[in-house]
Amino acid sequence: MPPVRYATPQIAIHWLAAILIILLLATGSQVLADLPNTAEKIGNLRIHMILGVLAGILVIARVILCKRLPALPAVHGEIFARLGHMALNLIILLLVFSGAMLMLQSGALEALFGSAALPADFKEFTPRRIHGLASRAAMALIALHVLATLYHQFIVKDGLLARMRIGSNKIGRQS
Ligand code: HEM
Ligand code: HEM
């Protein structure tokens, strides 16, 4: 019998990654992007980079788990769900990749872990433009993902949210 809900590690990874990614999108666009590239910015950038890499590792772990574990029963609009989940994972990996490229190309890595100064402005580097655009695409995809969840929960009424619920619940017990 196929499982009725995601496995505990998948649920833990989903919510941990969701919190991290929403935090990175909010602080990246509202704080980091507006700060001048002075020495005071280095601490912020360090946290952003470490959390960003962690989000990337969680996404890779979730893709591996998804391939290894048995699939859940198909939902209404399964093809859209699959494409949507794939797009979410890909856009996060693009963010991590473009962020890493930006650090390398701009020489900021030496500023973060050595004694070099930050570049005058990140905006002149192509990976920065890709990172900025990808962050907006990620925001739009996440909004769509949440709307799709609400659509399933309240219009299709298939109890989709319970498949990703934290804690034990009745539908989680496999007989
Ligand atoms: C507060 C916001 C969120 C809600 C309410 C939510 C809800 C859900 C639900 C109910 C599922 C299960 C769908 C199913 O049963 O087929 C799911 C799966 C998934 N969600 Fe979210 N989610 C949220 C945030 C995010 C974020 C920020 C991301 C990543 C950018 C994300 C990525 C995924 C992925 C990739 C899956 C597929 C299952 C997996 O591989 O873990 N979600 N989400
Ligand atoms: C899930 C992963 C990540 C997310 C969601 C994210 C999100 C963001 C956002 C929203 C911005 C501001 C963009 C704008 O408003 O135009 C930003 C800027 C930036 N991010 Fe990320 N990021 C992630 C990963 C990374 C990683 C791994 C690195 C480095 C290795 C990185 C380095 C940077 C840098 C250097 C900036 C530029 C700040 C500036 O222009 O002053 N990011 N990020």
Side-chain angles (χ1 to χ4, degrees):
M1 232 176 69
V4 284
R5 64 185 301 209
Y6 286 95
T8 307
Q10 285 176 299
I11 298 174
I13 288 177
H14 175 269
W15 291 115
L16 192 63
I19 293 170
L20 260 181
I21 290 162
I22 291 169
L23 190 84
L24 282 161
L25 287 171
T27 54
S29 60
Q30 303 308 309
V31 183
L32 210 53
D34 296 333
L35 283 178
N37 278 11
T38 58
E40 285 84 69
K41 188 167 174 171
I42 290 179
N44 272 296
L45 277 170
R46 242 186 232 138
I47 298 174
H48 185 83
M49 192 180 103
I50 292 167
L51 295 185
V53 169
L54 183 61
I57 293 171
L58 289 177
V59 165
I60 293 169
R62 107 152 125 233
V63 173
I64 294 173
L65 282 176
C66 184
K67 299 268 168 253
R68 295 218 164 158
L69 294 168
L72 268 73
V75 293
H76 172 76
E78 178 71 14
I79 182 77
F80 296 111
R82 281 189 181 213
L83 287 175
H85 295 160
M86 202 200 292
L88 280 165
N89 287 334
L90 283 177
I91 203 77
I92 300 307
L93 293 179
L94 178 62
L95 274 162
V96 178
F97 183 72
S98 56
M101 285 300 115
L102 176 59
M103 288 297 194
L104 290 173
Q105 210 187 78
S106 68
L109 209 58
E110 287 93 78
L112 258 59
F113 299 104
S115 53
L118 284 174
D121 195 341
F122 286 117
K123 297 217 165 60
E124 64 195 76
F125 298 95
T126 307
R128 174 65 181 81
R129 281 197 291 278
I130 296 173
H131 202 70
L133 286 173
S135 72
R136 298 312 185 263
M139 289 175 195
L141 281 172
I142 292 168
L144 210 65
H145 178 65
V146 174
L147 283 177
T149 303
L150 295 175
Y151 168 76
H152 274 274
Q153 191 68 17
F154 298 110
I155 297 177
V156 185
K157 296 196 170 80
D158 55 5
L160 188 85
L161 213 46
R163 304 198 328 171
M164 202 42 105
R165 219 187 83 150
I166 297 175
S168 64
N169 65 11
K170 273 198 184 128
I171 76 146
R173 301 217 181 98
Q174 289 179 47
S175 48

